[in-house]
Amino acid sequence: MLLRMAVCARLCGVGQSRRCRRRQRHSQADQDSDSEMDMDEEEEEERVVGKMKDEPDGNSSSVSRSSSCHNSYAAGPSGAAGLASRNSASAGPPHPQSLLDLPPEILVEIFASLPGTALPNLALVCKKFRQILNTETIWRRRCTEEFGMMDDLRKMEIVGMSSRDLYVKLLHPYRHILGLWQPDIGPYGGLLNVVVDGLFIIGWMYLPPHDPRVEDPMRRRPLFRIHMWEKNKATVECMYGHKGPHKGDIQTVKKDEFSTKCNQTDHHRMPGGRQEEFRTWLEEEWGRTLEDIFHEHMQELILMKFIYTSQYDNCLTYRRIYLPPCLPSDLLQPGLFKGTYGSHGLEIIMLSFHGSKAKATKLTGDPNVPAGQLTLEVDLNRPVRLPDLEHQRCMEELSRLVLGVHEEAQRGSQAQDAPSEAAEPAPPQGAEGSVSAPPAEAEDMDPGATACSAAPEPQPFVLPLGVMARNEVYPRTCKMCFYGTGLIAGHGFTSPERTPGLFVLFDDDRFGFIWLELKSFSLYSRLTDQLSHAQAPNLERFEAMLRNMQSWTS
């Protein structure tokens, strides 16, 4: 790394600029005193001779130059001055031999371009490097480039905090908890986003909008924060409850996992007891009172969630999650979406693409299908073209279309699972009226090309009569539809089953799913918040994360 920095310094021409300054000083000395020039000439001779001795192979040109230089010295000051003038014009100044030869301002620029994790080792090289690394410019640039801090750094001057202290004592030690996390709250899960917010590191719990306003923005609630206001060291505070910040703790359990602990859980209690806590929680969670919820089953689900989640008192374990990678062939940009789930309210899912499949994984869940499970799976090789509006209103007509593709998909799956000893297995027969591609051909098809070639002009869309929808305000045109399956289960995730349904793509930010067996419709809207430090390092890490998420709640 040091060699690379030295090369960069030479390419910048720093040696020339330094030598130019030396020549200017020598020129001024010529005008003042010939004797001073003689001393400079002798020093130059010693430097050249010393360099020649250090070269084991010898160099004829170097020897001749040093010999001429010696003879010129013997000739007198005027001859030496003429030779020095000719050498400076022809050979040019020497390059610096190491980083130590560079001016401090150049070293500051070089060090400021290195990642902060490399600077502690650099400080061990020598005393000069250690002194230069105390320069505020270096650490201010690291805070800006690595953590996105801009105008916030100006506030530090008011409180007397240096950029170096901020980086070394706060940002660098807690850099591993930045990004997206899923809390371990049984089947309910959640979405935590840890960000650098001003001079704080804050853990924001993301909550869906109030049911059924799926297109409203997400709500945020702070769970903890880390700052350096007290004693110039990082302090962790719990933000849960309604009595303000209080003492907390954060522990890194292992890679991609950490836990929070509240040291003053009495701050979470309210004067009115559990009843007041429940009413306050209900207002925040659902935006209504219990008296406004007439459905008895929904009341039971809400009360169950309050009892289950409130027992943790913000003492939770979090596991890292990544945003899905995006490929040019994807049907739409993958990411996070809010969706309606009947009596369970709104939940957060992650839409990702895997070749010819689109998958929606729950980040928040419920007692029937918990967080981490694959709620939707869409076959992009099996598009479904809707009939006219009149036939769309008929549930029987929609069921006939979707179930026809479903039977075709099952036969294709059985053919793939057949023993390989069969010489030439018979190709699966497509369902009559189906417009999807046969599975044998679908394997060789590019899902992006399939979606584009099958994409019709936007057509009118209406839900069949008898299909329940939490939100009646849904788009009345769609771009395309695909066959898919949705996961349903009994309470406690018992008897899980994948049932057929219809995936409806409305636009780049909205899609829906019709659950045939449940006769219900879920509408999904994109989560548009900017989420930093959340990109997956590679596709393999993202796939491994999805598998782990399912195991957390299975």
Side-chain angles (χ1 to χ4, degrees), residues 118-127 129-131 133 164:
L119 300 183
N121 290 334
L122 197 59
L124 301 177
V125 174
C126 62
K127 183 178 179 180
F129 282 11
R130 185 165 60 252
Q131 292 175 341
L133 284 172
R164 183 180 185 277

Coordinates of all heavy atoms in Angstrom, one line a residue, residues 118-127 129-131 133 164:
A118 N -7.7 1.6 7.5 CA -6.2 1.5 7.3 C -5.4 2.5 8.1 O -4.2 2.3 8.2 CB -5.9 1.7 5.8
L119 N -6.0 3.5 8.6 CA -5.2 4.6 9.2 C -4.6 4.2 10.6 O -3.5 4.6 10.8 CB -6.2 5.8 9.5 CG -6.7 6.4 8.2 CD1 -7.6 7.7 8.5 CD2 -5.6 6.8 7.2
P120 N -5.2 3.4 11.4 CA -4.5 3.0 12.6 C -3.2 2.3 12.4 O -2.2 2.6 13.1 CB -5.5 2.0 13.3 CG -6.8 2.5 12.8 CD -6.6 2.9 11.4
N121 N -3.1 1.4 11.4 CA -1.8 0.8 11.1 C -0.8 1.8 10.5 O 0.4 1.6 10.7 CB -2.1 -0.4 10.1 CG -2.8 -1.6 10.7 OD1 -2.7 -1.8 11.9 ND2 -3.5 -2.3 9.8
L122 N -1.3 2.7 9.8 CA -0.4 3.8 9.2 C 0.2 4.6 10.3 O 1.3 5.0 10.2 CB -1.2 4.7 8.3 CG -0.4 5.5 7.3 CD1 0.4 4.6 6.4 CD2 -1.4 6.4 6.5
A123 N -0.5 4.8 11.4 CA 0.0 5.6 12.5 C 1.2 4.9 13.2 O 1.9 5.5 14.0 CB -1.1 5.9 13.5
L124 N 1.3 3.6 13.0 CA 2.4 2.8 13.7 C 3.7 2.9 12.9 O 4.7 2.4 13.4 CB 1.9 1.3 13.8 CG 0.7 1.1 14.7 CD1 0.3 -0.4 14.7 CD2 0.8 1.6 16.1
V125 N 3.7 3.4 11.7 CA 4.9 3.4 10.9 C 6.0 4.3 11.5 O 7.1 3.9 11.7 CB 4.5 3.9 9.5 CG1 5.8 4.1 8.6 CG2 3.5 3.0 8.8
C126 N 5.6 5.5 11.9 CA 6.6 6.4 12.4 C 5.9 7.6 13.1 O 4.7 7.8 13.0 CB 7.6 7.0 11.3 SG 6.7 8.0 10.1
K127 N 6.7 8.4 13.8 CA 6.2 9.5 14.6 C 5.6 10.6 13.6 O 4.6 11.2 13.9 CB 7.3 10.1 15.4 CG 6.9 11.3 16.3 CD 8.0 11.8 17.2 CE 7.5 12.9 18.0 NZ 8.7 13.4 18.9
F129 N 4.2 10.2 10.7 CA 2.8 9.8 10.2 C 1.8 9.9 11.3 O 0.7 10.3 11.1 CB 2.9 8.3 9.8 CG 3.5 8.1 8.4 CD1 4.2 9.1 7.8 CD2 3.4 6.9 7.7 CE1 4.7 9.0 6.5 CE2 4.0 6.7 6.5 CZ 4.7 7.7 5.9
R130 N 2.2 9.6 12.5 CA 1.3 9.7 13.7 C 0.9 11.1 13.9 O -0.3 11.4 14.2 CB 1.9 9.1 14.9 CG 0.9 9.0 16.1 CD 1.5 8.1 17.2 NE 2.8 8.5 17.7 CZ 3.9 7.9 17.4 NH1 3.9 6.8 16.7 NH2 5.1 8.3 17.9
Q131 N 1.8 12.0 13.8 CA 1.5 13.4 14.0 C 0.6 14.0 12.8 O -0.4 14.7 13.1 CB 2.8 14.3 14.0 CG 3.6 14.0 15.2 CD 4.9 14.7 15.2 OE1 5.4 15.1 14.1 NE2 5.6 14.9 16.4
L133 N -1.6 12.2 11.1 CA -2.9 11.7 11.3 C -3.8 12.4 12.3 O -4.9 12.0 12.5 CB -2.8 10.2 11.6 CG -2.4 9.3 10.4 CD1 -2.1 7.9 10.9 CD2 -3.5 9.3 9.4
R164 N -12.0 13.5 14.4 CA -11.2 12.3 14.8 C -11.9 11.5 15.9 O -12.1 10.3 15.9 CB -9.8 12.6 15.2 CG -8.9 11.4 15.4 CD -7.5 11.8 15.8 NE -6.7 10.7 16.0 CZ -6.6 10.0 17.1 NH1 -7.3 10.3 18.1 NH2 -5.8 8.9 17.1

